[in-house]
Amino acid sequence: MSTIIYAQNYSLMELMAAAIAREFRDQETAFVGVGPPLIAAMVAKLTDAPNLTIAVEGGTIGSSPRRLLTCIADTTICERAYSCGTMWRNFGDQQRGFYDVGVIGGAQIDKYGNVNATALGDYNRPSVRVAGSGGANDIGSSVGRYSVMMRQEKRRFVERVDYLTVPGYLDGGDARIKAGLPGGGPHGVITTMGIFRFDEESGEMYLDKCHPGITPEKVKENVGWDLKMAPSIGTTEPPTQEQVEIMRVLDPYGLYLGSGREGMGDVEKGFDFYMEVLDKSYDAMTELFRQKGL
Amino acid sequence: MKKLSKPAVNKVTTLKEAVNRFVHDGSYVSFGGIGDRTPTAAVHEVARQQKKGLRLASDTSVSYVHDSILIGLGLVESFEIAYNWGGIWGPDAVYRRALEKGIPKPIKLEEYSNFAMGMRLLAGSLGIPFMPVKSLLGSDIPVHNTRIKFMNDPYGGEPVALVPAANPEVAFIHVQRCDVMGNAHILGHLGNDDSLARAARNVVITTEEIVPTDEIRRNPNLTVIPYYCVDAVVKVPFASHGRGCPYYYSMDVPFGLQLAEQWGTEAGFNRWAEEWIFKVDDWDGYCRKIGWERLTRLAEVERRHQQYGEAR
């Protein structure tokens, strides 16, 4: 075993993406949603989980692209895939039990890991409306286990979500099983401040790890209920040098993990910049995949 | 009952004619695609013809090239949907204004999950009234959408949620290649378009290319939609511009980011619609406005990175 070399310089998003990457294991099939989880899954594949298969809602299974993924159904996701089929069939495979792990995001989460991805406030006249379930409800219902990526804010970590889009452990205990949900439920919550897990009996969320420089008290201030703590709170493992290098190859302009979108929004130069992004990431990723024998 | 299957004849027409013929005020319409291969040219034509009181149904709609255009123009009465947002281009201000403030007018919302919408279209395509799913259970989605029902499996006793079949009156589906009678090849992921084509009463195919039937016959496994589902075939290259079309052209992210910014305010959205929909005659006019050079570069970059039948 070679020694693990941790990165000295990394951003919060890179720390979170590395933590998400560690939620995947080799030889698993992952149902992955849009955004940073896509990068995290690719990082996992290029490090500890070379046989991780990525399935997405568009209908593709096992894509292994050499460009940055921008969506769960962009042209890139077809690149070097095992299979391109239908949306309902992939969700059916998940309901049948083929998919081990999922990652979703949300606008609000509660102490039993229920996620709101629909509306804040009154559903019929929301104060903030967001996208809606998409596949999140299905992932939460059926995948083997799933993790949630969240911004740590008191208004987002609430006793009970305003709208329950994705079932966590519902009211706790065996409520999930009684409801008839086939999937295993939430496994972790990775936030801007720490990592949370769930009590196996009660289904209640507890703080397991704090990111470097963050105290449990600070986390507690940003949670809207009386948060339970692990007997001993660890520190989140920083990203390794390799993980960070891979992220910067995957997303050289920081489209997900930095400020890359700003460069593209420029009316004059945006398009040339974008063409450069597509080509640059392609050559670098091709090289990376070759090095990894993938 | 009117015969559902369509004849094996040349169905090539224009988008103007197809929209005029099949979409009416109050029509129940579904635009296919998911993330890419969006029938955006068709959305624009429906908007241009100001069809009102539309009832829309989608699984995942990428706002900026899809249903939100019609919502922003006040042409939508109701919306059956799992996910409507801008993806990497950012939040959808038009959808937010409609649901938070009723601007430009309130819409009736009927929400599902992606799997549930897929199963609704599958049920519709099979000619059966509903499908059971193991999603939606325990969530608030059925609390606000009473068309979702529950029952216990009559064989084993486990709870299941039931979702009603969806049979849109008109479906618009964009494909890479198609013959003149409507046998359509789709390359890449399919979304739910195979079901949608069979569930809908009338189907309009827009296609990047029209190919000879012998070319279809050479690769019959690629035919996702057989001609008997199809009423009209329209050749519309770059019909998904903004988003991409697998093996044909990549997503235009900078265009989307600028569009998202313009949609930020109601006035900005209206200016955008005036400029990009109402002041051009058709999709060809839109393409000329975008610039053929830009479109060609999007096609070249896609083909540089992947071509159908190759794994690099």
Side-chain angles (χ1 to χ4, degrees), chain A residues 57 66-67 75 80 85 87 95 123 125 129 134 138 164 261 274 279, chain B residues 82 88 100 111 113-114 134-135 140 190-191 251 304-306 312:
Chain A
E57 315 185 23
R66 289 172 177 175
R67 287 174 287 173
T75 65
R80 308 178 77 251
M87 177 198 266
Q95 185 174 266
Y123 174 75
R125 207 56 184 259
R129 172 67 210 203
D138 309 304
L164 197 162
R261 283 163 54 100
Y274 174 59
D279 277 333
Chain B
I88 197 167
E100 293 167 17
E111 293 195 72
S113 66
N114 268 342
K134 296 291 273 177
S135 292
D140 283 343
L190 306 175
M251 193 193 293
R304 201 149 62 233
H305 295 154
Q306 65 174 350
R312 299 182 187 175

PDB file of all heavy atoms in Angstrom, chain A residues 57 66-67 75 80 85 87 95 123 125 129 134 138 164 261 274 279, chain B residues 82 88 100 111 113-114 134-135 140 190-191 251 304-306 312:
ATOM      1  N   GLU A  57     -30.610   9.257 -15.232  1.00  0.00           N
ATOM      2  CA  GLU A  57     -32.039   9.279 -15.558  1.00  0.00           C
ATOM      3  C   GLU A  57     -32.336   9.312 -17.048  1.00  0.00           C
ATOM      4  O   GLU A  57     -33.394   8.867 -17.478  1.00  0.00           O
ATOM      5  CB  GLU A  57     -32.699  10.492 -14.906  1.00  0.00           C
ATOM      6  CG  GLU A  57     -32.255  10.646 -13.493  1.00  0.00           C
ATOM      7  CD  GLU A  57     -32.951  11.751 -12.731  1.00  0.00           C
ATOM      8  OE1 GLU A  57     -34.057  12.144 -13.093  1.00  0.00           O
ATOM      9  OE2 GLU A  57     -32.372  12.199 -11.746  1.00  0.00           O
ATOM     10  N   ARG A  66     -14.976  11.347 -21.877  1.00  0.00           N
ATOM     11  CA  ARG A  66     -13.696  12.058 -21.802  1.00  0.00           C
ATOM     12  C   ARG A  66     -13.902  13.553 -21.931  1.00  0.00           C
ATOM     13  O   ARG A  66     -13.013  14.292 -22.285  1.00  0.00           O
ATOM     14  CB  ARG A  66     -12.772  11.514 -22.878  1.00  0.00           C
ATOM     15  CG  ARG A  66     -12.343  10.114 -22.504  1.00  0.00           C
ATOM     16  CD  ARG A  66     -11.578   9.386 -23.552  1.00  0.00           C
ATOM     17  NE  ARG A  66     -11.178   8.092 -23.013  1.00  0.00           N
ATOM     18  CZ  ARG A  66     -10.569   7.167 -23.729  1.00  0.00           C
ATOM     19  NH1 ARG A  66     -10.293   7.384 -24.995  1.00  0.00           N
ATOM     20  NH2 ARG A  66     -10.239   6.024 -23.170  1.00  0.00           N
ATOM     21  N   ARG A  67     -15.119  13.951 -21.658  1.00  0.00           N
ATOM     22  CA  ARG A  67     -15.411  15.378 -21.544  1.00  0.00           C
ATOM     23  C   ARG A  67     -16.132  15.577 -20.224  1.00  0.00           C
ATOM     24  O   ARG A  67     -16.641  14.638 -19.648  1.00  0.00           O
ATOM     25  CB  ARG A  67     -16.360  15.824 -22.670  1.00  0.00           C
ATOM     26  CG  ARG A  67     -15.739  15.904 -24.016  1.00  0.00           C
ATOM     27  CD  ARG A  67     -16.802  16.210 -25.065  1.00  0.00           C
ATOM     28  NE  ARG A  67     -17.650  15.052 -25.324  1.00  0.00           N
ATOM     29  CZ  ARG A  67     -18.739  15.089 -26.088  1.00  0.00           C
ATOM     30  NH1 ARG A  67     -19.126  16.226 -26.623  1.00  0.00           N
ATOM     31  NH2 ARG A  67     -19.445  14.008 -26.310  1.00  0.00           N
ATOM     32  N   THR A  75     -25.065  15.319 -24.304  1.00  0.00           N
ATOM     33  CA  THR A  75     -24.516  14.439 -25.339  1.00  0.00           C
ATOM     34  C   THR A  75     -23.310  13.665 -24.788  1.00  0.00           C
ATOM     35  O   THR A  75     -23.024  12.561 -25.230  1.00  0.00           O
ATOM     36  CB  THR A  75     -24.083  15.240 -26.580  1.00  0.00           C
ATOM     37  OG1 THR A  75     -23.008  16.099 -26.229  1.00  0.00           O
ATOM     38  CG2 THR A  75     -25.227  16.065 -27.137  1.00  0.00           C
ATOM     39  N   ARG A  80     -18.913   6.569 -24.744  1.00  0.00           N
ATOM     40  CA  ARG A  80     -18.293   5.334 -24.290  1.00  0.00           C
ATOM     41  C   ARG A  80     -19.161   4.625 -23.231  1.00  0.00           C
ATOM     42  O   ARG A  80     -18.657   4.056 -22.271  1.00  0.00           O
ATOM     43  CB  ARG A  80     -16.881   5.615 -23.761  1.00  0.00           C
ATOM     44  CG  ARG A  80     -16.034   6.401 -24.763  1.00  0.00           C
ATOM     45  CD  ARG A  80     -14.646   6.751 -24.263  1.00  0.00           C
ATOM     46  NE  ARG A  80     -13.776   5.599 -24.329  1.00  0.00           N
ATOM     47  CZ  ARG A  80     -13.332   4.938 -23.266  1.00  0.00           C
ATOM     48  NH1 ARG A  80     -13.671   5.323 -22.068  1.00  0.00           N
ATOM     49  NH2 ARG A  80     -12.560   3.912 -23.404  1.00  0.00           N
ATOM     50  N   GLY A  85     -30.556   3.557 -23.142  1.00  0.00           N
ATOM     51  CA  GLY A  85     -31.934   3.087 -23.266  1.00  0.00           C
ATOM     52  C   GLY A  85     -32.890   4.144 -22.774  1.00  0.00           C
ATOM     53  O   GLY A  85     -32.640   5.338 -22.920  1.00  0.00           O
ATOM     54  N   MET A  87     -35.559   6.124 -19.992  1.00  0.00           N
ATOM     55  CA  MET A  87     -35.589   6.619 -18.625  1.00  0.00           C
ATOM     56  C   MET A  87     -36.319   5.642 -17.701  1.00  0.00           C
ATOM     57  O   MET A  87     -35.829   5.281 -16.643  1.00  0.00           O
ATOM     58  CB  MET A  87     -36.293   7.979 -18.598  1.00  0.00           C
ATOM     59  CG  MET A  87     -36.429   8.547 -17.212  1.00  0.00           C
ATOM     60  SD  MET A  87     -37.666   9.850 -17.121  1.00  0.00           S
ATOM     61  CE  MET A  87     -36.659  11.272 -17.353  1.00  0.00           C
ATOM     62  N   GLN A  95     -35.758   0.219  -9.129  1.00  0.00           N
ATOM     63  CA  GLN A  95     -36.845  -0.318  -8.303  1.00  0.00           C
ATOM     64  C   GLN A  95     -36.698  -1.827  -8.109  1.00  0.00           C
ATOM     65  O   GLN A  95     -36.992  -2.370  -7.049  1.00  0.00           O
ATOM     66  CB  GLN A  95     -38.185   0.000  -8.972  1.00  0.00           C
ATOM     67  CG  GLN A  95     -39.395  -0.404  -8.169  1.00  0.00           C
ATOM     68  CD  GLN A  95     -40.684   0.076  -8.827  1.00  0.00           C
ATOM     69  OE1 GLN A  95     -41.207   1.131  -8.509  1.00  0.00           O
ATOM     70  NE2 GLN A  95     -41.196  -0.690  -9.761  1.00  0.00           N
ATOM     71  N   TYR A 123     -47.006  25.248  -0.147  1.00  0.00           N
ATOM     72  CA  TYR A 123     -46.860  24.645  -1.479  1.00  0.00           C
ATOM     73  C   TYR A 123     -47.645  25.417  -2.540  1.00  0.00           C
ATOM     74  O   TYR A 123     -47.176  25.597  -3.658  1.00  0.00           O
ATOM     75  CB  TYR A 123     -47.340  23.187  -1.448  1.00  0.00           C
ATOM     76  CG  TYR A 123     -47.357  22.528  -2.810  1.00  0.00           C
ATOM     77  CD1 TYR A 123     -46.167  22.121  -3.409  1.00  0.00           C
ATOM     78  CD2 TYR A 123     -48.548  22.326  -3.501  1.00  0.00           C
ATOM     79  CE1 TYR A 123     -46.164  21.523  -4.668  1.00  0.00           C
ATOM     80  CE2 TYR A 123     -48.559  21.730  -4.757  1.00  0.00           C
ATOM     81  CZ  TYR A 123     -47.367  21.328  -5.330  1.00  0.00           C
ATOM     82  OH  TYR A 123     -47.362  20.748  -6.572  1.00  0.00           O
ATOM     83  N   ARG A 125     -48.513  28.578  -2.609  1.00  0.00           N
ATOM     84  CA  ARG A 125     -47.971  29.917  -2.885  1.00  0.00           C
ATOM     85  C   ARG A 125     -46.594  29.998  -2.230  1.00  0.00           C
ATOM     86  O   ARG A 125     -46.393  30.672  -1.240  1.00  0.00           O
ATOM     87  CB  ARG A 125     -48.915  30.993  -2.328  1.00  0.00           C
ATOM     88  CG  ARG A 125     -48.834  32.331  -3.082  1.00  0.00           C
ATOM     89  CD  ARG A 125     -49.099  32.160  -4.564  1.00  0.00           C
ATOM     90  NE  ARG A 125     -48.940  33.389  -5.306  1.00  0.00           N
ATOM     91  CZ  ARG A 125     -49.964  34.168  -5.726  1.00  0.00           C
ATOM     92  NH1 ARG A 125     -51.187  33.861  -5.443  1.00  0.00           N
ATOM     93  NH2 ARG A 125     -49.727  35.270  -6.419  1.00  0.00           N
ATOM     94  N   ARG A 129     -39.729  28.612  -4.892  1.00  0.00           N
ATOM     95  CA  ARG A 129     -40.053  27.399  -5.628  1.00  0.00           C
ATOM     96  C   ARG A 129     -38.768  26.883  -6.277  1.00  0.00           C
ATOM     97  O   ARG A 129     -37.968  27.655  -6.790  1.00  0.00           O
ATOM     98  CB  ARG A 129     -41.100  27.739  -6.704  1.00  0.00           C
ATOM     99  CG  ARG A 129     -41.417  26.622  -7.680  1.00  0.00           C
ATOM    100  CD  ARG A 129     -42.119  25.447  -7.028  1.00  0.00           C
ATOM    101  NE  ARG A 129     -41.763  24.228  -7.744  1.00  0.00           N
ATOM    102  CZ  ARG A 129     -42.494  23.115  -7.743  1.00  0.00           C
ATOM    103  NH1 ARG A 129     -43.601  23.035  -7.033  1.00  0.00           N
ATOM    104  NH2 ARG A 129     -42.091  22.067  -8.401  1.00  0.00           N
ATOM    105  N   GLY A 134     -38.070  15.496  -9.970  1.00  0.00           N
ATOM    106  CA  GLY A 134     -37.278  14.790 -10.981  1.00  0.00           C
ATOM    107  C   GLY A 134     -37.187  13.346 -10.541  1.00  0.00           C
ATOM    108  O   GLY A 134     -38.168  12.746 -10.103  1.00  0.00           O
ATOM    109  N   ASP A 138     -37.638   8.981  -6.595  1.00  0.00           N
ATOM    110  CA  ASP A 138     -37.446   7.577  -6.991  1.00  0.00           C
ATOM    111  C   ASP A 138     -36.142   7.012  -6.423  1.00  0.00           C
ATOM    112  O   ASP A 138     -36.102   5.863  -5.979  1.00  0.00           O
ATOM    113  CB  ASP A 138     -37.444   7.461  -8.520  1.00  0.00           C
ATOM    114  CG  ASP A 138     -38.655   8.140  -9.143  1.00  0.00           C
ATOM    115  OD1 ASP A 138     -39.778   7.784  -8.756  1.00  0.00           O
ATOM    116  OD2 ASP A 138     -38.469   9.040  -9.979  1.00  0.00           O
ATOM    117  N   LEU A 164     -42.322  17.228   1.712  1.00  0.00           N
ATOM    118  CA  LEU A 164     -41.488  16.022   1.704  1.00  0.00           C
ATOM    119  C   LEU A 164     -41.449  15.460   0.274  1.00  0.00           C
ATOM    120  O   LEU A 164     -42.367  14.760  -0.148  1.00  0.00           O
ATOM    121  CB  LEU A 164     -42.040  14.993   2.698  1.00  0.00           C
ATOM    122  CG  LEU A 164     -41.097  13.854   3.130  1.00  0.00           C
ATOM    123  CD1 LEU A 164     -41.604  13.187   4.420  1.00  0.00           C
ATOM    124  CD2 LEU A 164     -40.872  12.795   2.062  1.00  0.00           C
ATOM    125  N   ARG A 261     -18.251  29.237 -14.742  1.00  0.00           N
ATOM    126  CA  ARG A 261     -19.447  29.720 -15.442  1.00  0.00           C
ATOM    127  C   ARG A 261     -19.321  31.181 -15.829  1.00  0.00           C
ATOM    128  O   ARG A 261     -19.847  31.610 -16.847  1.00  0.00           O
ATOM    129  CB  ARG A 261     -20.663  29.560 -14.536  1.00  0.00           C
ATOM    130  CG  ARG A 261     -21.168  28.148 -14.436  1.00  0.00           C
ATOM    131  CD  ARG A 261     -22.068  28.007 -13.231  1.00  0.00           C
ATOM    132  NE  ARG A 261     -23.143  28.987 -13.240  1.00  0.00           N
ATOM    133  CZ  ARG A 261     -24.387  28.726 -13.622  1.00  0.00           C
ATOM    134  NH1 ARG A 261     -24.704  27.520 -13.992  1.00  0.00           N
ATOM    135  NH2 ARG A 261     -25.314  29.638 -13.600  1.00  0.00           N
ATOM    136  N   TYR A 274     -15.703  28.559 -24.269  1.00  0.00           N
ATOM    137  CA  TYR A 274     -16.405  27.295 -24.097  1.00  0.00           C
ATOM    138  C   TYR A 274     -15.838  26.220 -25.036  1.00  0.00           C
ATOM    139  O   TYR A 274     -15.609  25.077 -24.630  1.00  0.00           O
ATOM    140  CB  TYR A 274     -17.898  27.511 -24.359  1.00  0.00           C
ATOM    141  CG  TYR A 274     -18.732  26.255 -24.351  1.00  0.00           C
ATOM    142  CD1 TYR A 274     -18.779  25.437 -23.227  1.00  0.00           C
ATOM    143  CD2 TYR A 274     -19.508  25.901 -25.451  1.00  0.00           C
ATOM    144  CE1 TYR A 274     -19.570  24.285 -23.214  1.00  0.00           C
ATOM    145  CE2 TYR A 274     -20.293  24.771 -25.444  1.00  0.00           C
ATOM    146  CZ  TYR A 274     -20.317  23.962 -24.325  1.00  0.00           C
ATOM    147  OH  TYR A 274     -21.095  22.835 -24.320  1.00  0.00           O
ATOM    148  N   ASP A 279     -12.525  21.157 -25.630  1.00  0.00           N
ATOM    149  CA  ASP A 279     -11.359  20.475 -26.196  1.00  0.00           C
ATOM    150  C   ASP A 279     -10.290  20.213 -25.150  1.00  0.00           C
ATOM    151  O   ASP A 279      -9.695  19.151 -25.130  1.00  0.00           O
ATOM    152  CB  ASP A 279     -10.769  21.293 -27.352  1.00  0.00           C
ATOM    153  CG  ASP A 279     -11.531  21.027 -28.644  1.00  0.00           C
ATOM    154  OD1 ASP A 279     -12.100  19.929 -28.773  1.00  0.00           O
ATOM    155  OD2 ASP A 279     -11.561  21.922 -29.510  1.00  0.00           O
TER     156      ASP A 279
ATOM    157  N   ALA B  82     -42.481  16.390 -13.560  1.00  0.00           N
ATOM    158  CA  ALA B  82     -41.643  15.872 -12.471  1.00  0.00           C
ATOM    159  C   ALA B  82     -40.540  16.860 -12.114  1.00  0.00           C
ATOM    160  O   ALA B  82     -40.168  16.997 -10.948  1.00  0.00           O
ATOM    161  CB  ALA B  82     -41.034  14.528 -12.866  1.00  0.00           C
ATOM    162  N   ILE B  88     -27.539  23.187 -15.755  1.00  0.00           N
ATOM    163  CA  ILE B  88     -26.280  23.893 -15.539  1.00  0.00           C
ATOM    164  C   ILE B  88     -26.412  25.391 -15.839  1.00  0.00           C
ATOM    165  O   ILE B  88     -25.592  26.201 -15.433  1.00  0.00           O
ATOM    166  CB  ILE B  88     -25.154  23.243 -16.371  1.00  0.00           C
ATOM    167  CG1 ILE B  88     -23.787  23.672 -15.849  1.00  0.00           C
ATOM    168  CG2 ILE B  88     -25.309  23.527 -17.857  1.00  0.00           C
ATOM    169  CD1 ILE B  88     -22.646  22.863 -16.389  1.00  0.00           C
ATOM    170  N   GLU B 100     -44.638  31.301  -7.729  1.00  0.00           N
ATOM    171  CA  GLU B 100     -44.591  32.096  -6.495  1.00  0.00           C
ATOM    172  C   GLU B 100     -45.533  33.290  -6.563  1.00  0.00           C
ATOM    173  O   GLU B 100     -46.085  33.721  -5.560  1.00  0.00           O
ATOM    174  CB  GLU B 100     -43.153  32.597  -6.239  1.00  0.00           C
ATOM    175  CG  GLU B 100     -42.171  31.469  -5.906  1.00  0.00           C
ATOM    176  CD  GLU B 100     -40.710  31.910  -5.961  1.00  0.00           C
ATOM    177  OE1 GLU B 100     -40.429  33.135  -5.927  1.00  0.00           O
ATOM    178  OE2 GLU B 100     -39.833  31.021  -6.040  1.00  0.00           O
ATOM    179  N   GLU B 111     -47.901  17.368  -9.941  1.00  0.00           N
ATOM    180  CA  GLU B 111     -46.517  16.897  -9.889  1.00  0.00           C
ATOM    181  C   GLU B 111     -46.397  15.389  -9.687  1.00  0.00           C
ATOM    182  O   GLU B 111     -47.193  14.771  -8.976  1.00  0.00           O
ATOM    183  CB  GLU B 111     -45.760  17.630  -8.772  1.00  0.00           C
ATOM    184  CG  GLU B 111     -45.602  19.098  -9.100  1.00  0.00           C
ATOM    185  CD  GLU B 111     -44.561  19.780  -8.237  1.00  0.00           C
ATOM    186  OE1 GLU B 111     -43.363  19.523  -8.426  1.00  0.00           O
ATOM    187  OE2 GLU B 111     -44.960  20.580  -7.383  1.00  0.00           O
ATOM    188  N   SER B 113     -42.980  12.112  -9.949  1.00  0.00           N
ATOM    189  CA  SER B 113     -41.538  11.913 -10.043  1.00  0.00           C
ATOM    190  C   SER B 113     -41.239  11.505 -11.486  1.00  0.00           C
ATOM    191  O   SER B 113     -42.148  11.203 -12.260  1.00  0.00           O
ATOM    192  CB  SER B 113     -41.094  10.801  -9.087  1.00  0.00           C
ATOM    193  OG  SER B 113     -41.642   9.558  -9.523  1.00  0.00           O
ATOM    194  N   ASN B 114     -39.966  11.478 -11.834  1.00  0.00           N
ATOM    195  CA  ASN B 114     -39.598  11.081 -13.201  1.00  0.00           C
ATOM    196  C   ASN B 114     -40.061   9.658 -13.530  1.00  0.00           C
ATOM    197  O   ASN B 114     -40.562   9.390 -14.613  1.00  0.00           O
ATOM    198  CB  ASN B 114     -38.079  11.157 -13.387  1.00  0.00           C
ATOM    199  CG  ASN B 114     -37.652  12.514 -13.926  1.00  0.00           C
ATOM    200  OD1 ASN B 114     -38.456  13.267 -14.460  1.00  0.00           O
ATOM    201  ND2 ASN B 114     -36.378  12.820 -13.790  1.00  0.00           N
ATOM    202  N   LYS B 134     -43.411   1.765  -6.851  1.00  0.00           N
ATOM    203  CA  LYS B 134     -42.959   1.751  -5.450  1.00  0.00           C
ATOM    204  C   LYS B 134     -42.315   3.084  -5.077  1.00  0.00           C
ATOM    205  O   LYS B 134     -41.617   3.191  -4.076  1.00  0.00           O
ATOM    206  CB  LYS B 134     -41.986   0.586  -5.220  1.00  0.00           C
ATOM    207  CG  LYS B 134     -42.600  -0.790  -5.402  1.00  0.00           C
ATOM    208  CD  LYS B 134     -43.615  -1.138  -4.322  1.00  0.00           C
ATOM    209  CE  LYS B 134     -42.942  -1.755  -3.100  1.00  0.00           C
ATOM    210  NZ  LYS B 134     -43.938  -2.017  -2.022  1.00  0.00           N
ATOM    211  N   SER B 135     -42.480   4.093  -5.936  1.00  0.00           N
ATOM    212  CA  SER B 135     -42.072   5.462  -5.598  1.00  0.00           C
ATOM    213  C   SER B 135     -43.268   6.174  -4.972  1.00  0.00           C
ATOM    214  O   SER B 135     -44.341   5.575  -4.831  1.00  0.00           O
ATOM    215  CB  SER B 135     -41.635   6.205  -6.855  1.00  0.00           C
ATOM    216  OG  SER B 135     -40.433   5.676  -7.366  1.00  0.00           O
ATOM    217  N   ASP B 140     -44.918  13.807   0.193  1.00  0.00           N
ATOM    218  CA  ASP B 140     -46.006  14.786   0.077  1.00  0.00           C
ATOM    219  C   ASP B 140     -46.489  14.951  -1.357  1.00  0.00           C
ATOM    220  O   ASP B 140     -47.417  15.718  -1.608  1.00  0.00           O
ATOM    221  CB  ASP B 140     -45.534  16.157   0.598  1.00  0.00           C
ATOM    222  CG  ASP B 140     -45.517  16.198   2.120  1.00  0.00           C
ATOM    223  OD1 ASP B 140     -46.146  15.331   2.747  1.00  0.00           O
ATOM    224  OD2 ASP B 140     -44.875  17.109   2.687  1.00  0.00           O
ATOM    225  N   LEU B 190     -32.825   7.609 -24.625  1.00  0.00           N
ATOM    226  CA  LEU B 190     -34.135   7.774 -25.262  1.00  0.00           C
ATOM    227  C   LEU B 190     -35.125   8.580 -24.434  1.00  0.00           C
ATOM    228  O   LEU B 190     -36.184   8.940 -24.925  1.00  0.00           O
ATOM    229  CB  LEU B 190     -34.746   6.388 -25.529  1.00  0.00           C
ATOM    230  CG  LEU B 190     -33.850   5.418 -26.322  1.00  0.00           C
ATOM    231  CD1 LEU B 190     -34.510   4.049 -26.403  1.00  0.00           C
ATOM    232  CD2 LEU B 190     -33.556   5.949 -27.716  1.00  0.00           C
ATOM    233  N   GLY B 191     -34.791   8.855 -23.166  1.00  0.00           N
ATOM    234  CA  GLY B 191     -35.817   9.445 -22.301  1.00  0.00           C
ATOM    235  C   GLY B 191     -37.013   8.518 -22.283  1.00  0.00           C
ATOM    236  O   GLY B 191     -36.869   7.295 -22.167  1.00  0.00           O
ATOM    237  N   MET B 251     -24.020  20.871 -26.478  1.00  0.00           N
ATOM    238  CA  MET B 251     -24.774  21.923 -25.804  1.00  0.00           C
ATOM    239  C   MET B 251     -24.060  23.269 -25.975  1.00  0.00           C
ATOM    240  O   MET B 251     -22.838  23.317 -26.003  1.00  0.00           O
ATOM    241  CB  MET B 251     -24.853  21.567 -24.313  1.00  0.00           C
ATOM    242  CG  MET B 251     -25.845  22.387 -23.528  1.00  0.00           C
ATOM    243  SD  MET B 251     -25.634  22.187 -21.735  1.00  0.00           S
ATOM    244  CE  MET B 251     -26.104  20.494 -21.491  1.00  0.00           C
ATOM    245  N   ARG B 304     -15.913  15.722 -33.121  1.00  0.00           N
ATOM    246  CA  ARG B 304     -14.512  15.519 -32.753  1.00  0.00           C
ATOM    247  C   ARG B 304     -14.426  14.582 -31.540  1.00  0.00           C
ATOM    248  O   ARG B 304     -13.460  13.867 -31.371  1.00  0.00           O
ATOM    249  CB  ARG B 304     -13.904  16.889 -32.425  1.00  0.00           C
ATOM    250  CG  ARG B 304     -12.403  16.942 -32.508  1.00  0.00           C
ATOM    251  CD  ARG B 304     -11.879  18.317 -32.932  1.00  0.00           C
ATOM    252  NE  ARG B 304     -12.210  19.393 -32.021  1.00  0.00           N
ATOM    253  CZ  ARG B 304     -12.807  20.530 -32.389  1.00  0.00           C
ATOM    254  NH1 ARG B 304     -13.168  20.722 -33.650  1.00  0.00           N
ATOM    255  NH2 ARG B 304     -13.059  21.471 -31.505  1.00  0.00           N
ATOM    256  N   HIS B 305     -15.434  14.617 -30.694  1.00  0.00           N
ATOM    257  CA  HIS B 305     -15.367  13.863 -29.437  1.00  0.00           C
ATOM    258  C   HIS B 305     -16.097  12.532 -29.479  1.00  0.00           C
ATOM    259  O   HIS B 305     -15.753  11.611 -28.756  1.00  0.00           O
ATOM    260  CB  HIS B 305     -15.909  14.715 -28.291  1.00  0.00           C
ATOM    261  CG  HIS B 305     -15.066  15.922 -28.042  1.00  0.00           C
ATOM    262  ND1 HIS B 305     -15.545  17.055 -27.478  1.00  0.00           N
ATOM    263  CD2 HIS B 305     -13.764  16.163 -28.307  1.00  0.00           C
ATOM    264  CE1 HIS B 305     -14.577  17.955 -27.398  1.00  0.00           C
ATOM    265  NE2 HIS B 305     -13.496  17.436 -27.901  1.00  0.00           N
ATOM    266  N   GLN B 306     -17.131  12.429 -30.276  1.00  0.00           N
ATOM    267  CA  GLN B 306     -17.780  11.128 -30.412  1.00  0.00           C
ATOM    268  C   GLN B 306     -18.514  11.017 -31.744  1.00  0.00           C
ATOM    269  O   GLN B 306     -19.150  11.966 -32.192  1.00  0.00           O
ATOM    270  CB  GLN B 306     -18.731  10.814 -29.246  1.00  0.00           C
ATOM    271  CG  GLN B 306     -19.951  11.697 -29.103  1.00  0.00           C
ATOM    272  CD  GLN B 306     -20.879  11.201 -28.003  1.00  0.00           C
ATOM    273  OE1 GLN B 306     -20.723  10.113 -27.468  1.00  0.00           O
ATOM    274  NE2 GLN B 306     -21.873  12.008 -27.664  1.00  0.00           N
ATOM    275  N   ARG B 312     -13.819   5.746 -28.521  1.00  0.00           N
ATOM    276  CA  ARG B 312     -12.431   6.223 -28.573  1.00  0.00           C
ATOM    277  C   ARG B 312     -11.730   6.089 -27.235  1.00  0.00           C
ATOM    278  O   ARG B 312     -12.361   6.180 -26.213  1.00  0.00           O
ATOM    279  CB  ARG B 312     -12.425   7.689 -29.007  1.00  0.00           C
ATOM    280  CG  ARG B 312     -13.030   7.802 -30.374  1.00  0.00           C
ATOM    281  CD  ARG B 312     -12.983   9.211 -30.843  1.00  0.00           C
ATOM    282  NE  ARG B 312     -13.711   9.327 -32.093  1.00  0.00           N
ATOM    283  CZ  ARG B 312     -13.919  10.472 -32.708  1.00  0.00           C
ATOM    284  NH1 ARG B 312     -13.453  11.584 -32.195  1.00  0.00           N
ATOM    285  NH2 ARG B 312     -14.567  10.499 -33.834  1.00  0.00           N
TER     286      ARG B 312
END
